Amino acid sequence: MQSNRRNFLKLSGLAGLGLVGAPMLKSHAAHSGLNSDHSDHSVNSDRNSDFNMSGYAAPKIDTVRIGFIGLGNRGPGAVKRMSKIDGVEIKALCDLRPDKAAAAKKLLENTSHNPTIYTGNENEWKKVCERNDIDLIYIATPWQLHTPMAVYAMEHGKHAASEVPAAVTIEECWQLVETSEKTKKHCMILENCCYDFFELMTLNMARQGFFGEIVHAEGAYIHHLLEDNFSKDKYYDLWRLKENFRNGNLYPTHGLGPIAQVMNINRGDKMDFLVSVSSNDFMMGNMAKELAEKDSFYKPFENKSFRGNMNTTTIRTNKGKTMMLQHDVTSPRPYSRIHLVSGTKGTAQKYPEPGRISTSHEGWLTEPEFKALEEKYQPPIVKKLGEMAKQIGGHGGMDFLMDWRLIDCLRNGLPLDINVYDAAAWSAIAPLSEKSVASRSNSVDIPDFTSGFWKTNQPVDVFLQKGGNTKVKI
Ligand SMILES: NC(=O)c1ccc[n+]([C@@H]2O[C@H](COP(=O)([O-])OP(=O)(O)OC[C@H]3O[C@@H](n4cnc5c(N)ncnc54)[C@H](O)[C@@H]3O)[C@@H](O)[C@H]2O)c1
């Protein structure tokens, strides 16, 4: 299996560049802008899986014992949220930097949790994964560490939940899939945007046929992070700025996760191929030069080549539907994750906020009409926990809904809403977009991480059909 998959990697990469079986066309394909020939899909069919993690229910865990790794900007909020969920015990807190680990532990004062701290060197996290009294490793470190940590956790018998993206290379995506299947441990990507209120409502509406056949959807991550990325202390060791030496859509999952669920990706449909185009960089290189003139700290960045500011990636699915994703973290624009669902009978769009719904070309429904739809289509998880989640917070409540649902599924022995195939497929868009951008936007095949099970996998349960009994301490 391993070698078939690795062959697939090589083949699909070449197919994406238009090179398989057509070496003489290489320069033509590279310079003409013509898409490569994708009529031969054999690259997608030479794999078989030992086990299907989609729909897989791991044994119930009454008390989910958690070890957290990475306690910078993002991690501590998760520690706090988890401390409010019944049936959770926080056993370990790990960060390379002692002050970050200590600050996270302070958040748990006056609670029943008394985690051990792991800190001071870059391999301490392994000790957390090696403990035999932990069920779940929750990862909020820089991107390059997500897959090594998740794989090590699963190999040591733990479920893994990784911040976004779960992987940064296609090789890593396969490592996640193969390890999860081999160990039968869950590997969830912590895509909180799948649990935002409007997104959940549109998922429910899609499931009940409101949009008719969904033809097209859009998502984005447009978030002005220019100064933060160059800040000396915002992100550990400027890791996020350094990621911007890569050129493509580096952070696709916030926009993609919700629309992938709406379009039943990996559960009835599959992403087939993508085409990605990037603008030039008009901001980061200039900023690096300006800063380096005043401060030698920035000298290593001054002659670097940075990611094009705006990336637009278009995906076509096996069923002939399209998705458009955008990524821009430098332009001074209002925040947007675009959540657009366009079907044969209706449309939904969020960003600018608030979200809107339409059923014709004549315009958006009025506020009372929208309210009536909200009443009808708000899914049970929101009805049950929405107000509480808003109080507890985390991006307006969506972070809490995500954490609660993860714990509730583990405690009730239910399949996760977001499994390893989603983690791999959604994360894969970044390296595949880089490949397309580097080849004058030629099309690139998207691997079938499900080994063909996408045809029969069941859609995500939006109705809380099972479980839902985990209480919240507030
Ligand atoms: N889903 C969301 O809405 C959302 C929001 C913000 C960040 N994130 C994600 O969360 C992750 C962390 O982002 P952040 O802003 O907190 O970054 P950060 O730099 O503030 O935090 C990362 C932490 O990891 C620690 N770390 C680095 N190497 C380590 C090692 N070997 N062992 C243990 N700890 C180590 C650092 O000391 C740092 O405290 C990223 O993947 C980011 O994309 C997600």
Side-chain angles (χ1 to χ4, degrees), residues 207-397:
R207 201 55 58 70
Q208 297 193 44
F210 180 90
F211 301 111
E213 189 78 54
I214 292 168
V215 179
H216 174 78
E218 299 180 9
Y221 187 65
I222 297 173
H223 188 187
H224 183 73
L225 295 175
L226 184 60
E227 287 79 16
D228 280 351
N229 279 344
F230 277 95
S231 155
K232 288 181 187 172
D233 48 19
K234 176 75 184 177
Y235 302 111
Y236 169 71
D237 195 27
L238 285 84
W239 68 264
R240 208 156 173 166
L241 177 63
K242 293 171 189 169
E243 290 290 350
N244 286 273
F245 302 154
R246 300 158 54 202
N247 195 11
N249 181 339
L250 305 188
Y251 209 54
T253 71
H254 283 337
L256 175 57
I259 58 175
Q261 288 191 333
V262 159
M263 292 173 76
N264 287 331
I265 297 299
N266 290 340
R267 296 170 178 78
D269 201 354
K270 186 186 84 58
M271 296 187 286
D272 186 9
F273 68 88
L274 65 76
V275 169
S276 186
V277 60
S278 280
S279 72
N280 283 352
D281 166 44
F282 295 91
M283 285 170 265
M284 285 184 280
N286 290 344
M287 186 145 182
K289 284 190 184 70
E290 279 166 26
L291 288 168
E293 273 172 26
K294 294 181 239 153
D295 185 347
S296 62
F297 175 87
Y298 290 101
K299 284 278 176 211
F301 298 97
E302 94 185 307
N303 292 316
K304 289 287 184 195
S305 169
F306 288 94
R307 175 187 53 74
N309 302 137
M310 170 58 88
N311 175 276
T312 303
T313 298
T314 308
I315 298 165
R316 186 177 153 93
T317 74
N318 284 56
K319 290 202 163 164
K321 301 168 177 203
T322 53
M323 303 159 112
M324 190 278 286
L325 299 176
Q326 289 194 316
H327 175 261
D328 180 350
V329 294
T330 37
S331 301
R333 294 173 54 166
Y335 179 89
S336 170
R337 296 200 310 267
I338 310 176
H339 178 66
L340 177 116
V341 180
S342 175
T344 52
K345 293 187 179 157
T347 311
Q349 181 171 2
K350 186 170 87 171
Y351 299 101
E353 290 192 274
R356 293 164 291 177
I357 305 285
S358 148
T359 50
S360 79
H361 70 280
E362 281 159 1
W364 302 102
L365 297 183
T366 62
E367 208 177 314
E369 288 167 332
F370 180 88
K371 287 267 173 256
L373 287 179
E374 204 171 36
E375 199 53 41
K376 182 169 176 196
Y377 289 107
Q378 212 56 273
I381 187 171
V382 174
K383 287 190 177 139
K384 190 179 172 71
L385 285 156
E387 284 314 308
M388 207 185 285
K390 281 179 191 164
Q391 274 182 49
I392 294 171
H395 291 105

Side-chain angles (χ1 to χ4, degrees), residues 69-75 94-97 100 121-123 125 140-143 145-146 149 163-165 190-192 234-236 239-240 251 254 395 398-399:
I69 311 174
L71 299 162
N73 301 309
R74 180 71 176 151
C94 173
D95 196 287
L96 183 55
R97 297 178 289 177
K100 296 291 174 189
N121 82 67
E122 61 184 22
N123 286 317
W125 62 270
T141 50
W143 301 343
L145 293 170
H146 291 177
M149 288 174 169
E163 260 304 341
V164 300
L190 292 162
E191 188 36 84
N192 48 342
K234 176 75 184 177
Y235 302 111
Y236 169 71
W239 68 264
R240 208 156 173 166
Y251 209 54
H254 283 337
H395 291 105
M398 65 182 179
D399 296 357

